[in-house]
Amino acid sequence: MSLIENLEWRYATKKMNGKVVPQEKVEYILEAARLAPSSSGLQPYRVLVVSDPEIKEKMKPIAWDQSQILDASHILVFAAWDKYTEDKIQEVFHNTLKERGLPLDRMDDYKKRLWGMYSQLPEEWHAHHAAKQAYIAFGLAIAAAAEQKVDATPMEGFDNAALDELLGLKELGLKSAVILPLGYRDESEDWLVNMKKVRTPKEEFLLSEN
């Protein structure tokens, strides 16, 4: 199937049946997220995979008691850096240059310009910018899930601070941005499963340059 056909197939699954997603499919989805582009290639986010029933039980009230938290096979938590630092940026560029077999000082000027800009901005901007990068990876994960015929539900409806505390994200310098339960639709219980997919009409969505 084409990407468009896969996107037409997917929807924000409201009720999952508890069936376990094969590990190879989960790994495929995660690899799509890992390969996502990000600003300056920094990848200022990480993905935490939750499948432990006890942790999911604790997550459910944090996520407004949404049933997918328990019924999903795996929950992907996209967590962004809480702020940029010179050391973090240095580490990313050092690794990139090392992997490419290039001199480690090759991008020093660019690193200085980048940190010179970021260092002048408030940490709130840092966290917001990093979260926007995480959403790019999140989008590719959704598309990869559809390709694998794995249902997924984008979720922003949760208490970020409570989830960060539960998962120990603050200690890692991370803040939860969005979560993505993975599983399989319960066609007999999901009210949305047979509903027509509705999006903004193309003639309204695409703007003219005039």
Side-chain angles (χ1 to χ4, degrees):
M1 295 178 71
S2 71
L3 174 60
I4 298 301
E5 289 173 321
N6 288 324
L7 293 178
E8 288 173 341
W9 171 85
R10 71 149 302 278
Y11 72 107
T13 307
K14 301 304 180 184
K15 182 64 177 174
M16 295 182 175
N17 61 18
K19 181 181 176 182
V20 176
V21 177
Q23 187 60 30
E24 61 269 21
K25 289 182 177 287
V26 176
E27 291 177 0
Y28 184 92
I29 295 165
L30 292 170
E31 185 65 0
R34 190 182 72 88
L35 293 173
S38 62
S39 181
S40 297
L42 293 177
Q43 291 186 289
Y45 47 83
R46 296 293 183 265
V47 182
L48 177 64
V49 183
V50 178
S51 58
D52 186 317
E54 292 186 9
I55 298 178
K56 291 199 291 182
E57 284 281 0
K58 294 176 181 177
M59 286 182 65
K60 189 182 179 187
I62 291 173
W64 303 351
D65 289 318
Q66 295 177 81
S67 67
Q68 301 96 319
I69 297 297
L70 294 185
D71 298 335
S73 169
H74 298 74
I75 300 171
L76 309 188
V77 179
F78 289 76
W81 290 358
D82 56 4
K83 61 179 177 295
Y84 291 101
T85 68
E86 190 171 14
D87 286 344
K88 287 179 179 179
I89 293 173
Q90 171 68 24
E91 182 179 355
V92 172
F93 280 94
H94 178 95
N95 182 65
T96 298
L97 292 167
K98 181 180 176 181
E99 288 294 317
R100 291 175 175 173
L102 297 172
L104 297 183
D105 62 354
R106 173 66 66 88
M107 301 183 75
D108 281 356
D109 289 344
Y110 182 78
K111 285 184 291 183
K112 289 177 182 177
R113 288 199 304 273
L114 190 65
W115 177 240
M117 178 179 64
Y118 286 1
S119 64
Q120 302 302 311
L121 297 167
E123 288 187 4
E124 182 180 357
W125 181 93
H126 288 206
H128 181 63
H129 185 265
K132 288 197 296 183
Q133 308 312 306
Y135 268 85
I136 299 173
F138 175 75
L140 286 180
I142 292 174
E147 184 182 25
Q148 294 296 304
K149 290 298 176 285
V150 172
D151 286 299
T153 307
M155 280 190 185
E156 292 181 307
F158 61 94
D159 184 331
N160 297 71
L163 185 61
D164 294 352
E165 181 177 355
L166 174 65
L167 301 177
L169 297 179
K170 184 176 181 180
E171 291 75 15
L172 300 175
L174 299 169
K175 290 185 175 182
S176 56
V178 62
I179 59 180
L180 185 66
L182 301 175
Y184 294 100
R185 64 190 68 176
D186 185 338
E187 297 193 6
S188 65
E189 297 293 332
D190 192 339
W191 62 270
L192 190 57
V193 65
N194 292 316
M195 293 287 184
K196 179 182 179 181
K197 183 184 286 290
V198 179
R199 295 292 187 269
T200 303
K202 185 184 297 185
E203 59 272 17
E204 295 179 30
F205 183 75
L206 300 176
L207 300 178
S208 168
E209 61 182 334
N210 296 323

